[in-house]
Amino acid sequence: MGKKDAEFCADNSFTGNRGIKSGLKVLIFFGATILLLALSMLLGPSGIGIPDMQSSSGSAIFSLRFSRLLMGMMTGAALSASGVVFQALLRNPLAEPYVLGVSGGAGLGATLSILAGSGLFVSLGLPVVAFLSAVLTLMVVYGIASQGSSGHPSVYSLILSGVIVSSICSSVIMFLVSTASVEGMHNVIWWMLGSLQPVSSAQQVLSAALILGGLGSIWLLSPRLNALALGREMAHYQGLHADLVLVAGLLFATLLAATAVSLSGMIGFVGLIVPHVMRAVFGPDNRKLVPLAALGGGTFLVVCDALARTLLAPIEIPVGVVTALAGGPFFLIILQRRMKQAWIA
Amino acid sequence: MENNALTFSNVSAGYKHRKVLDQVSFTIRAGEFVSLIGPNGCGKSTLLKTAAALLKPLSGVVELFGHDVHLLKPAHRASLLGVVPQKIDSPMAFTVSQIVMNGRISSMGRWGSMSSRDHDLVERSMIYTDVMGLRERFFTELSGGEQQRVALAMVLAQDPEMIMLDESISHLDINHRQEVLKILMNLNREKRMTILLVSHDLTLSASISDRFLLMNSGRLIKVGTPAEVLEPELLSSVYDCDLRVQQDPYSGYLHVSGAIDSLNRQKKLNRNVHVIAGGGSGIELYRRLLIEGYEVTTGVLNRLDSDAEAARALNIEVVLEQPFSPVGADAIAKALQMINSSDSVILSSVPFGSGNLVNLDLAREALKRGKTVLLADGIVDRDYTGGKAAIQIVSNLMRDGALCWHSISELMLQLQQHSHN
């Protein structure tokens, strides 16, 4: 190597981690996150502001708000990070956490459990059933997609069988709901709308462990997800166990989504839109995107929940309604401006 | 140092219900530049996929620098062999430098961190392929040629011993194709990189390759130097059409081209047609008439006329006259001779002025001698004689039985009808 070459290579400014600008963006994002989370602690049906911590009701309100914040962070982070992975692996802008039938499967399991339990469902029972049926659905979807493709399901067959299994599940749910009692119907629909009512602490701990584990695994996979964005063949040529990464990614992302569903029911929108917005702002590099989207999704859901319980207090709006109504227009504006940096299809 | 880069030993490979490669054996030595040629669907891409361990052979062994490619760890394989696909597409807006960094994916740290060697390789391959200036641009926004250079940079960043290109340059325009080829040749000559190029451009491949592998329906038909493989008979049977191989007298390069005129000779019609043209109006006529199998003569043409050039190039017998001078008696006599031995006379949509009005007299003469005369329509717009002389002659010709044609395909039909009569 000549002298000139050596000088050139001593400085990696071209491909190195450049960017005061991107660093500043991340910093602003962190600041806004903390601010929004703090703000959401001040909102609730009992009034705006810090509750009186001396009184027992005040501290109960505070701890309730805090556990809803935790619920929101966990659910939002899981859904959003899962969305990032699905979009990267399936190379499809419409991919979202429920694309492989998690929602259909979990919904069907939950519906069966609610209707069978007819009101007396145990707090740990429903989420566990929802989780197990989501995982079962994933296995069915993967099994169908693998048929006739020598064990390597194509992205299209995965999406297709996910959509089909999902719609079969929702048909069965509709049938069950239409034949159910009024009370059963009400419970099922409320569960499907999603809510961040705190679940039992045992389940919270279990879910937190699953979600942290899932997020960590996905973060570890994230550099490989970048390579898979150019397709499975290219990733193989570049020295990846491409199929292994694909299967592991799908598995972890589905587990995250299933855990979120079992915690909070079916909250839509977060897993589709937050990844898009974060990608538009911070670029498509999954190494950065996975943690930022997790944080962004959690914060977004927490803020939406704070609004949901405050706006029409004492009536609580389903949080899924708020995510769509509040987030939709805002995200459309961002996407329209910055779609080019997020996704060119 | 292992001397053989890639070895196929009796490899059969393919998909579930379809065997594509049939008992293929060959060796590519380290440092060679080899082109893989063959008609579409003959198994070239399958061969590359098998070489890169994307497809497991049904039988036989693929060895990459002495290792069984299916037993190699993926990262090790990527350090030996890089593959530039026909086209890469990125659905998300990665920048060029992010795309190129993918080439280092197999050596990145657990959290995707890159060592300074990784950065060096990325930078060097970007300089080598001249994409440094594009590094902040979005990959998806680039032109096809730029994307292909970025893809090459990404593969070079793997720092492989050998690269395979799957028709990666076929769809580039001539400028970018030369550019990419120059990079490949430099890599081959300077860094002794082994290159396997799948190509449809036989002429181009012949000029840069050490050896050719010729495939047809899953089998390796011939392996050898370009001159050994580019045999007209062999190629013609493999590609199922007539091909001609010529050596360029200046560079010594081999040129492979489709041989249209040999096609004519096969279905010769034994019908003679004389064309009266000028100013470029005859070129397309000549071409079509030759393809259809007619014997063509033409004239009188000005020596500098573009139709005269075309006639010479197509080996058409032509009567010429000096530029800027009236058509002499010699030329007229010669033209009349041609008309005599022809069955039909065709007038192209040439403009008439006083200088070439004599050509219309030739047509009148042809009509008198009982030849079929076919006139291009629209003489009104092409009469520059000043006194409507050409229009007058043409309407006389039509009255005496000359036919009128509007398009070349219509003309071909008219000619066919008259040759049956």
Side-chain angles (χ1 to χ4, degrees), chain A residues 9 12 14-15 18 91 220 223-224 229-230 233-234 236-239 241 279 284-285 287 340-341 343-344, chain B residues 52-54 74 77 83 89 91-93 101 105-106 110 112 119-120 123 132 135-136 138 140-141 154 158:
Chain A
C9 297
N12 292 132
F14 285 113
T15 54
R18 72 191 178 281
R91 307 176 74 210
L220 271 175
R224 284 97 199 152
L230 299 181
E233 284 189 16
M234 204 58 233
H236 170 90
Y237 295 147
Q238 284 168 342
H241 285 286
R279 200 180 286 113
D285 186 344
R287 289 173 293 178
K340 223 176 173 184
Q341 293 178 31
W343 204 288
I344 304 175
Chain B
L54 195 64
R77 168 170 39 74
V83 181
D89 72 310
M92 280 167 279
M101 276 186 233
I105 192 82
S106 62
R110 187 159 293 162
H119 281 288
D120 291 349
E123 274 172 25
M132 213 41 163
R135 64 183 181 277
E136 297 297 324
F138 293 125
T140 15
E141 288 178 341
M154 177 176 74
Q158 282 174 231

Tab-separated table of all heavy atoms in Angstrom, chain A residues 9 12 14-15 18 91 220 223-224 229-230 233-234 236-239 241 279 284-285 287 340-341 343-344, chain B residues 52-54 74 77 83 89 91-93 101 105-106 110 112 119-120 123 132 135-136 138 140-141 154 158:
chain	number	residue	atom	x	y	z
A	9	CYS	N	-6.605	5.740	4.364
A	9	CYS	CA	-7.286	4.778	5.200
A	9	CYS	C	-7.200	5.095	6.677
A	9	CYS	O	-7.942	4.552	7.484
A	9	CYS	CB	-6.717	3.379	4.942
A	9	CYS	SG	-7.019	2.875	3.246
A	12	ASN	N	-11.308	7.416	8.559
A	12	ASN	CA	-12.497	6.746	8.044
A	12	ASN	C	-13.711	7.667	8.001
A	12	ASN	O	-14.830	7.245	8.197
A	12	ASN	CB	-12.816	5.502	8.882
A	12	ASN	CG	-11.757	4.442	8.703
A	12	ASN	OD1	-11.269	3.898	9.662
A	12	ASN	ND2	-11.388	4.182	7.473
A	14	PHE	N	-15.213	8.957	5.695
A	14	PHE	CA	-16.209	8.777	4.638
A	14	PHE	C	-17.275	7.790	5.033
A	14	PHE	O	-18.441	7.991	4.807
A	14	PHE	CB	-15.538	8.311	3.357
A	14	PHE	CG	-14.799	9.401	2.668
A	14	PHE	CD1	-13.432	9.362	2.567
A	14	PHE	CD2	-15.494	10.489	2.156
A	14	PHE	CE1	-12.763	10.372	1.937
A	14	PHE	CE2	-14.819	11.497	1.528
A	14	PHE	CZ	-13.448	11.449	1.424
A	15	THR	N	-16.809	6.699	5.615
A	15	THR	CA	-17.781	5.651	5.911
A	15	THR	C	-17.950	5.476	7.413
A	15	THR	O	-18.742	4.683	7.859
A	15	THR	CB	-17.324	4.317	5.304
A	15	THR	OG1	-16.004	4.053	5.767
A	15	THR	CG2	-17.335	4.375	3.812
A	18	ARG	N	-20.365	9.215	10.859
A	18	ARG	CA	-20.313	10.661	10.769
A	18	ARG	C	-21.621	11.188	11.335
A	18	ARG	O	-22.591	10.491	11.504
A	18	ARG	CB	-20.176	11.082	9.317
A	18	ARG	CG	-21.464	10.838	8.643
A	18	ARG	CD	-21.458	10.939	7.198
A	18	ARG	NE	-22.801	10.601	6.793
A	18	ARG	CZ	-23.230	9.360	6.726
A	18	ARG	NH1	-22.422	8.366	7.003
A	18	ARG	NH2	-24.471	9.107	6.398
A	91	ARG	N	-39.548	-7.279	3.245
A	91	ARG	CA	-39.245	-6.260	2.226
A	91	ARG	C	-40.528	-5.681	1.656
A	91	ARG	O	-40.688	-5.522	0.456
A	91	ARG	CB	-38.398	-6.866	1.105
A	91	ARG	CG	-37.168	-7.561	1.605
A	91	ARG	CD	-36.416	-8.231	0.496
A	91	ARG	NE	-35.714	-7.254	-0.316
A	91	ARG	CZ	-35.471	-7.417	-1.603
A	91	ARG	NH1	-35.907	-8.467	-2.226
A	91	ARG	NH2	-34.819	-6.508	-2.265
A	220	LEU	N	-29.574	-7.658	18.221
A	220	LEU	CA	-28.418	-8.445	17.787
A	220	LEU	C	-28.521	-8.835	16.315
A	220	LEU	O	-27.530	-8.928	15.603
A	220	LEU	CB	-28.325	-9.722	18.624
A	220	LEU	CG	-27.517	-9.636	19.902
A	220	LEU	CD1	-27.625	-10.929	20.679
A	220	LEU	CD2	-26.059	-9.350	19.568
A	223	PRO	N	-27.885	-5.877	12.358
A	223	PRO	CA	-26.954	-5.688	11.232
A	223	PRO	C	-27.253	-6.656	10.096
A	223	PRO	O	-27.111	-6.328	8.916
A	223	PRO	CB	-25.588	-5.980	11.842
A	223	PRO	CG	-25.773	-5.944	13.299
A	223	PRO	CD	-27.196	-6.248	13.586
A	224	ARG	N	-27.659	-7.871	10.455
A	224	ARG	CA	-27.980	-8.879	9.426
A	224	ARG	C	-29.264	-8.515	8.696
A	224	ARG	O	-29.432	-8.855	7.527
A	224	ARG	CB	-28.120	-10.261	10.059
A	224	ARG	CG	-26.788	-10.906	10.429
A	224	ARG	CD	-26.451	-10.692	11.888
A	224	ARG	NE	-25.045	-10.882	12.179
A	224	ARG	CZ	-24.429	-10.247	13.190
A	224	ARG	NH1	-25.085	-9.365	13.940
A	224	ARG	NH2	-23.168	-10.457	13.413
A	229	ALA	N	-32.136	-6.849	3.539
A	229	ALA	CA	-32.949	-5.887	2.792
A	229	ALA	C	-32.668	-5.995	1.302
A	229	ALA	O	-33.482	-5.590	0.487
A	229	ALA	CB	-32.680	-4.468	3.274
A	230	LEU	N	-31.511	-6.540	0.935
A	230	LEU	CA	-31.208	-6.717	-0.490
A	230	LEU	C	-31.646	-8.088	-0.985
A	230	LEU	O	-31.300	-8.486	-2.087
A	230	LEU	CB	-29.712	-6.534	-0.742
A	230	LEU	CG	-29.137	-5.171	-0.388
A	230	LEU	CD1	-27.662	-5.127	-0.699
A	230	LEU	CD2	-29.860	-4.078	-1.149
A	233	GLU	N	-30.944	-14.024	-1.395
A	233	GLU	CA	-29.797	-14.519	-2.151
A	233	GLU	C	-28.561	-13.665	-1.919
A	233	GLU	O	-27.471	-14.167	-1.671
A	233	GLU	CB	-30.120	-14.528	-3.650
A	233	GLU	CG	-31.021	-15.651	-4.051
A	233	GLU	CD	-31.164	-15.771	-5.554
A	233	GLU	OE1	-30.348	-15.182	-6.289
A	233	GLU	OE2	-32.106	-16.448	-5.984
A	234	MET	N	-28.760	-12.349	-1.981
A	234	MET	CA	-27.623	-11.446	-1.799
A	234	MET	C	-27.033	-11.628	-0.398
A	234	MET	O	-25.809	-11.646	-0.238
A	234	MET	CB	-28.109	-10.004	-2.003
A	234	MET	CG	-27.025	-9.051	-2.400
A	234	MET	SD	-26.173	-9.509	-3.916
A	234	MET	CE	-24.481	-9.492	-3.356
A	236	HIS	N	-27.057	-14.288	1.349
A	236	HIS	CA	-26.314	-15.548	1.323
A	236	HIS	C	-24.928	-15.338	0.709
A	236	HIS	O	-23.923	-15.774	1.251
A	236	HIS	CB	-27.103	-16.579	0.520
A	236	HIS	CG	-26.341	-17.840	0.229
A	236	HIS	ND1	-26.366	-18.923	1.073
A	236	HIS	CD2	-25.513	-18.172	-0.790
A	236	HIS	CE1	-25.587	-19.872	0.566
A	236	HIS	NE2	-25.059	-19.442	-0.565
A	237	TYR	N	-24.889	-14.637	-0.426
A	237	TYR	CA	-23.607	-14.399	-1.096
A	237	TYR	C	-22.649	-13.629	-0.191
A	237	TYR	O	-21.446	-13.726	-0.319
A	237	TYR	CB	-23.809	-13.602	-2.387
A	237	TYR	CG	-24.599	-14.324	-3.452
A	237	TYR	CD1	-25.430	-13.635	-4.320
A	237	TYR	CD2	-24.501	-15.705	-3.600
A	237	TYR	CE1	-26.158	-14.290	-5.301
A	237	TYR	CE2	-25.225	-16.372	-4.569
A	237	TYR	CZ	-26.048	-15.667	-5.418
A	237	TYR	OH	-26.766	-16.320	-6.385
A	238	GLN	N	-23.204	-12.803	0.685
A	238	GLN	CA	-22.331	-12.000	1.528
A	238	GLN	C	-21.917	-12.704	2.809
A	238	GLN	O	-21.336	-12.093	3.691
A	238	GLN	CB	-23.014	-10.666	1.839
A	238	GLN	CG	-22.941	-9.774	0.622
A	238	GLN	CD	-23.812	-8.582	0.731
A	238	GLN	OE1	-24.726	-8.536	1.547
A	238	GLN	NE2	-23.544	-7.589	-0.090
A	239	GLY	N	-22.247	-13.966	2.881
A	239	GLY	CA	-21.713	-14.750	3.983
A	239	GLY	C	-22.601	-14.827	5.201
A	239	GLY	O	-22.120	-15.017	6.318
A	241	HIS	N	-25.885	-16.714	7.222
A	241	HIS	CA	-26.826	-17.835	7.243
A	241	HIS	C	-28.194	-17.228	6.993
A	241	HIS	O	-28.980	-17.022	7.909
A	241	HIS	CB	-26.824	-18.506	8.613
A	241	HIS	CG	-25.625	-19.361	8.870
A	241	HIS	ND1	-25.465	-20.588	8.273
A	241	HIS	CD2	-24.543	-19.176	9.646
A	241	HIS	CE1	-24.330	-21.124	8.674
A	241	HIS	NE2	-23.746	-20.284	9.498
A	279	ARG	N	-38.170	5.439	10.441
A	279	ARG	CA	-37.292	5.225	9.301
A	279	ARG	C	-37.172	6.508	8.479
A	279	ARG	O	-36.102	6.849	7.986
A	279	ARG	CB	-37.822	4.081	8.432
A	279	ARG	CG	-36.776	3.479	7.517
A	279	ARG	CD	-37.323	2.357	6.671
A	279	ARG	NE	-37.555	1.139	7.413
A	279	ARG	CZ	-38.752	0.626	7.641
A	279	ARG	NH1	-39.832	1.228	7.175
A	279	ARG	NH2	-38.890	-0.476	8.321
A	284	PRO	N	-32.931	4.055	7.218
A	284	PRO	CA	-33.341	2.653	7.288
A	284	PRO	C	-32.343	1.710	7.969
A	284	PRO	O	-32.592	0.520	8.017
A	284	PRO	CB	-33.488	2.274	5.816
A	284	PRO	CG	-32.511	3.143	5.110
A	284	PRO	CD	-32.368	4.407	5.904
A	285	ASP	N	-31.227	2.240	8.489
A	285	ASP	CA	-30.238	1.359	9.114
A	285	ASP	C	-30.832	0.717	10.370
A	285	ASP	O	-31.070	1.378	11.372
A	285	ASP	CB	-28.985	2.170	9.472
A	285	ASP	CG	-27.880	1.278	9.997
A	285	ASP	OD1	-28.172	0.118	10.366
A	285	ASP	OD2	-26.729	1.740	10.044
A	287	ARG	N	-29.705	-1.087	12.660
A	287	ARG	CA	-28.950	-1.051	13.922
A	287	ARG	C	-29.429	0.104	14.795
A	287	ARG	O	-29.514	0.002	16.009
A	287	ARG	CB	-27.457	-0.897	13.638
A	287	ARG	CG	-26.824	-2.137	13.055
A	287	ARG	CD	-25.396	-1.884	12.639
A	287	ARG	NE	-25.334	-0.954	11.516
A	287	ARG	CZ	-24.195	-0.538	10.975
A	287	ARG	NH1	-23.040	-0.943	11.473
A	287	ARG	NH2	-24.202	0.295	9.953
A	340	LYS	N	-39.512	9.696	0.847
A	340	LYS	CA	-38.365	9.362	0.030
A	340	LYS	C	-37.236	8.759	0.858
A	340	LYS	O	-36.511	7.897	0.407
A	340	LYS	CB	-37.868	10.638	-0.628
A	340	LYS	CG	-37.507	10.453	-2.060
A	340	LYS	CD	-37.129	11.773	-2.619
A	340	LYS	CE	-36.582	11.629	-4.017
A	340	LYS	NZ	-36.135	12.909	-4.499
A	341	GLN	N	-37.100	9.245	2.086
A	341	GLN	CA	-36.007	8.742	2.908
A	341	GLN	C	-36.385	7.468	3.636
A	341	GLN	O	-35.568	6.870	4.295
A	341	GLN	CB	-35.600	9.805	3.928
A	341	GLN	CG	-34.986	10.985	3.247
A	341	GLN	CD	-34.622	12.054	4.224
A	341	GLN	OE1	-34.296	11.778	5.365
A	341	GLN	NE2	-34.692	13.288	3.776
A	343	TRP	N	-38.817	4.902	2.295
A	343	TRP	CA	-39.171	3.747	1.505
A	343	TRP	C	-39.352	4.176	0.077
A	343	TRP	O	-40.181	5.018	-0.229
A	343	TRP	CB	-40.485	3.162	2.028
A	343	TRP	CG	-40.603	1.733	1.676
A	343	TRP	CD1	-40.827	1.234	0.437
A	343	TRP	CD2	-40.460	0.629	2.549
A	343	TRP	NE1	-40.829	-0.128	0.486
A	343	TRP	CE2	-40.617	-0.532	1.765
A	343	TRP	CE3	-40.207	0.489	3.909
A	343	TRP	CZ2	-40.534	-1.797	2.299
A	343	TRP	CZ3	-40.139	-0.774	4.443
A	343	TRP	CH2	-40.293	-1.901	3.638
A	344	ILE	N	-38.596	3.615	-0.793
A	344	ILE	CA	-38.827	3.882	-2.199
A	344	ILE	C	-39.193	2.558	-2.827
A	344	ILE	O	-38.368	1.665	-2.919
A	344	ILE	CB	-37.592	4.478	-2.881
A	344	ILE	CG1	-37.176	5.732	-2.140
A	344	ILE	CG2	-37.890	4.779	-4.327
A	344	ILE	CD1	-35.904	6.338	-2.642
B	52	ALA	N	-22.031	-20.967	-5.699
B	52	ALA	CA	-22.049	-20.129	-4.505
B	52	ALA	C	-22.782	-20.806	-3.354
B	52	ALA	O	-23.124	-20.157	-2.363
B	52	ALA	CB	-22.711	-18.790	-4.824
B	53	ALA	N	-23.055	-22.097	-3.489
B	53	ALA	CA	-23.666	-22.886	-2.421
B	53	ALA	C	-25.087	-22.452	-2.092
B	53	ALA	O	-25.610	-22.753	-1.034
B	53	ALA	CB	-22.811	-22.876	-1.148
B	54	LEU	N	-25.712	-21.734	-3.018
B	54	LEU	CA	-27.112	-21.388	-2.792
B	54	LEU	C	-27.975	-22.595	-3.145
B	54	LEU	O	-29.033	-22.808	-2.566
B	54	LEU	CB	-27.486	-20.191	-3.663
B	54	LEU	CG	-28.774	-19.463	-3.311
B	54	LEU	CD1	-28.665	-18.830	-1.934
B	54	LEU	CD2	-29.061	-18.385	-4.341
B	74	PRO	N	-20.244	-19.822	5.983
B	74	PRO	CA	-20.674	-18.734	5.097
B	74	PRO	C	-19.693	-17.564	5.046
B	74	PRO	O	-19.403	-17.040	3.972
B	74	PRO	CB	-22.012	-18.305	5.693
B	74	PRO	CG	-22.533	-19.528	6.345
B	74	PRO	CD	-21.338	-20.275	6.855
B	77	ARG	N	-16.725	-18.527	2.980
B	77	ARG	CA	-17.113	-18.580	1.575
B	77	ARG	C	-17.169	-17.169	0.992
B	77	ARG	O	-16.682	-16.918	-0.111
B	77	ARG	CB	-18.475	-19.272	1.424
B	77	ARG	CG	-19.054	-19.085	0.040
B	77	ARG	CD	-20.275	-19.943	-0.246
B	77	ARG	NE	-21.217	-20.108	0.834
B	77	ARG	CZ	-22.071	-19.174	1.250
B	77	ARG	NH1	-22.087	-17.994	0.676
B	77	ARG	NH2	-22.894	-19.428	2.237
B	83	VAL	N	-20.526	-12.545	-5.464
B	83	VAL	CA	-21.430	-12.688	-6.606
B	83	VAL	C	-22.121	-11.356	-6.876
B	83	VAL	O	-22.734	-10.775	-5.979
B	83	VAL	CB	-22.506	-13.763	-6.350
B	83	VAL	CG1	-23.404	-13.906	-7.573
B	83	VAL	CG2	-21.872	-15.084	-5.992
B	89	ASP	N	-31.986	-4.873	-5.878
B	89	ASP	CA	-32.861	-3.759	-5.581
B	89	ASP	C	-33.134	-3.684	-4.097
B	89	ASP	O	-33.268	-4.690	-3.408
B	89	ASP	CB	-34.128	-3.777	-6.428
B	89	ASP	CG	-35.082	-4.855	-6.020
B	89	ASP	OD1	-34.617	-6.012	-5.900
B	89	ASP	OD2	-36.249	-4.585	-5.829
B	91	PRO	N	-35.541	-2.165	-1.331
B	91	PRO	CA	-36.856	-1.547	-1.184
B	91	PRO	C	-36.795	-0.321	-0.273
B	91	PRO	O	-37.639	0.549	-0.368
B	91	PRO	CB	-37.700	-2.650	-0.561
B	91	PRO	CG	-36.729	-3.528	0.133
B	91	PRO	CD	-35.456	-3.454	-0.636
B	92	MET	N	-35.795	-0.270	0.587
B	92	MET	CA	-35.711	0.861	1.512
B	92	MET	C	-34.589	1.792	1.085
B	92	MET	O	-33.691	1.417	0.370
B	92	MET	CB	-35.481	0.357	2.927
B	92	MET	CG	-36.762	-0.116	3.568
B	92	MET	SD	-36.453	-1.031	5.051
B	92	MET	CE	-36.047	-2.617	4.411
B	93	ALA	N	-34.679	3.004	1.553
B	93	ALA	CA	-33.784	4.040	1.063
B	93	ALA	C	-32.435	4.000	1.776
B	93	ALA	O	-32.118	4.875	2.579
B	93	ALA	CB	-34.441	5.400	1.221
B	101	MET	N	-21.334	-1.057	2.630
B	101	MET	CA	-20.921	-1.637	3.917
B	101	MET	C	-21.488	-3.033	4.125
B	101	MET	O	-20.937	-3.826	4.877
B	101	MET	CB	-21.353	-0.728	5.062
B	101	MET	CG	-20.384	0.402	5.326
B	101	MET	SD	-20.910	1.289	6.790
B	101	MET	CE	-20.961	2.936	6.168
B	105	ILE	N	-20.583	-7.484	6.012
B	105	ILE	CA	-21.540	-7.964	7.015
B	105	ILE	C	-21.030	-9.198	7.754
B	105	ILE	O	-21.214	-9.348	8.957
B	105	ILE	CB	-22.907	-8.243	6.352
B	105	ILE	CG1	-23.996	-8.446	7.397
B	105	ILE	CG2	-22.872	-9.454	5.457
B	105	ILE	CD1	-24.538	-7.180	7.908
B	106	SER	N	-20.325	-10.079	7.027
B	106	SER	CA	-19.959	-11.337	7.670
B	106	SER	C	-18.788	-11.162	8.635
B	106	SER	O	-18.514	-12.049	9.420
B	106	SER	CB	-19.625	-12.388	6.609
B	106	SER	OG	-18.516	-11.960	5.866
B	110	ARG	N	-20.604	-8.256	16.789
B	110	ARG	CA	-21.937	-8.718	17.167
B	110	ARG	C	-22.976	-7.617	16.996
B	110	ARG	O	-24.084	-7.852	16.573
B	110	ARG	CB	-21.889	-9.212	18.616
B	110	ARG	CG	-23.156	-9.867	19.061
B	110	ARG	CD	-22.904	-10.743	20.247
B	110	ARG	NE	-22.067	-11.889	19.901
B	110	ARG	CZ	-21.415	-12.622	20.801
B	110	ARG	NH1	-21.474	-12.295	22.070
B	110	ARG	NH2	-20.694	-13.642	20.426
B	112	GLY	N	-22.791	-5.154	14.964
B	112	GLY	CA	-22.685	-4.500	13.673
B	112	GLY	C	-21.573	-3.476	13.619
B	112	GLY	O	-21.550	-2.622	12.746
B	119	HIS	N	-13.595	-0.624	7.371
B	119	HIS	CA	-13.787	0.702	6.779
B	119	HIS	C	-12.849	0.903	5.588
B	119	HIS	O	-13.246	1.440	4.560
B	119	HIS	CB	-13.544	1.789	7.827
B	119	HIS	CG	-14.700	1.990	8.740
B	119	HIS	ND1	-15.875	2.588	8.324
B	119	HIS	CD2	-14.878	1.675	10.037
B	119	HIS	CE1	-16.727	2.632	9.342
B	119	HIS	NE2	-16.141	2.081	10.397
B	120	ASP	N	-11.593	0.443	5.759
B	120	ASP	CA	-10.629	0.597	4.665
B	120	ASP	C	-11.103	-0.116	3.410
B	120	ASP	O	-11.038	0.423	2.319
B	120	ASP	CB	-9.268	0.016	5.072
B	120	ASP	CG	-8.612	0.851	6.140
B	120	ASP	OD1	-9.118	1.966	6.385
B	120	ASP	OD2	-7.625	0.394	6.728
B	123	GLU	N	-13.972	1.708	1.778
B	123	GLU	CA	-13.527	2.919	1.087
B	123	GLU	C	-12.748	2.584	-0.182
B	123	GLU	O	-12.963	3.179	-1.231
B	123	GLU	CB	-12.641	3.763	2.013
B	123	GLU	CG	-13.463	4.669	2.885
B	123	GLU	CD	-12.627	5.375	3.937
B	123	GLU	OE1	-11.416	5.551	3.722
B	123	GLU	OE2	-13.195	5.729	4.974
B	132	MET	N	-17.394	6.920	-4.923
B	132	MET	CA	-17.183	7.732	-3.729
B	132	MET	C	-18.068	8.978	-3.760
B	132	MET	O	-18.633	9.386	-2.765
B	132	MET	CB	-15.704	8.124	-3.664
B	132	MET	CG	-15.137	8.245	-2.282
B	132	MET	SD	-15.697	6.952	-1.168
B	132	MET	CE	-14.504	7.102	0.098
B	135	ARG	N	-21.656	8.575	-2.402
B	135	ARG	CA	-21.837	7.827	-1.163
B	135	ARG	C	-23.013	8.282	-0.310
B	135	ARG	O	-23.588	7.494	0.428
B	135	ARG	CB	-20.553	7.846	-0.335
B	135	ARG	CG	-20.133	9.221	0.146
B	135	ARG	CD	-18.809	9.153	0.884
B	135	ARG	NE	-18.423	10.462	1.358
B	135	ARG	CZ	-17.809	11.367	0.603
B	135	ARG	NH1	-17.510	11.075	-0.654
B	135	ARG	NH2	-17.508	12.547	1.091
B	136	GLU	N	-23.409	9.544	-0.410
B	136	GLU	CA	-24.528	10.022	0.389
B	136	GLU	C	-25.862	9.901	-0.331
B	136	GLU	O	-26.910	10.171	0.231
B	136	GLU	CB	-24.316	11.493	0.779
B	136	GLU	CG	-23.101	11.740	1.656
B	136	GLU	CD	-23.228	11.044	2.996
B	136	GLU	OE1	-24.343	10.982	3.533
B	136	GLU	OE2	-22.198	10.548	3.502
B	138	PHE	N	-29.142	8.229	-2.282
B	138	PHE	CA	-29.930	7.028	-2.066
B	138	PHE	C	-29.716	6.080	-3.228
B	138	PHE	O	-29.776	6.480	-4.383
B	138	PHE	CB	-31.415	7.358	-1.935
B	138	PHE	CG	-31.740	8.134	-0.703
B	138	PHE	CD1	-32.398	9.340	-0.782
B	138	PHE	CD2	-31.354	7.661	0.540
B	138	PHE	CE1	-32.686	10.064	0.363
B	138	PHE	CE2	-31.630	8.374	1.675
B	138	PHE	CZ	-32.300	9.580	1.594
B	140	THR	N	-31.550	3.850	-4.491
B	140	THR	CA	-32.694	3.710	-5.404
B	140	THR	C	-32.790	4.837	-6.411
B	140	THR	O	-33.455	4.705	-7.422
B	140	THR	CB	-33.992	3.664	-4.596
B	140	THR	OG1	-33.718	4.118	-3.292
B	140	THR	CG2	-34.532	2.284	-4.532
B	141	GLU	N	-32.127	5.962	-6.114
B	141	GLU	CA	-32.226	7.102	-7.020
B	141	GLU	C	-31.215	7.043	-8.163
B	141	GLU	O	-31.266	7.856	-9.069
B	141	GLU	CB	-31.973	8.405	-6.255
B	141	GLU	CG	-33.071	8.807	-5.326
B	141	GLU	CD	-32.701	10.082	-4.592
B	141	GLU	OE1	-31.502	10.423	-4.548
B	141	GLU	OE2	-33.610	10.716	-4.073
B	154	MET	N	-19.887	-3.167	-3.496
B	154	MET	CA	-20.315	-3.947	-2.339
B	154	MET	C	-19.656	-5.322	-2.342
B	154	MET	O	-19.181	-5.806	-1.314
B	154	MET	CB	-21.839	-4.088	-2.363
B	154	MET	CG	-22.403	-4.936	-1.267
B	154	MET	SD	-24.204	-4.952	-1.316
B	154	MET	CE	-24.491	-6.005	-2.721
B	158	GLN	N	-16.209	-7.252	0.067
B	158	GLN	CA	-16.036	-8.569	0.694
B	158	GLN	C	-14.580	-9.008	0.624
B	158	GLN	O	-14.195	-9.951	1.301
B	158	GLN	CB	-16.867	-9.624	-0.052
B	158	GLN	CG	-18.339	-9.625	0.264
B	158	GLN	CD	-19.105	-10.592	-0.628
B	158	GLN	OE1	-20.096	-10.226	-1.231
B	158	GLN	NE2	-18.659	-11.853	-0.719
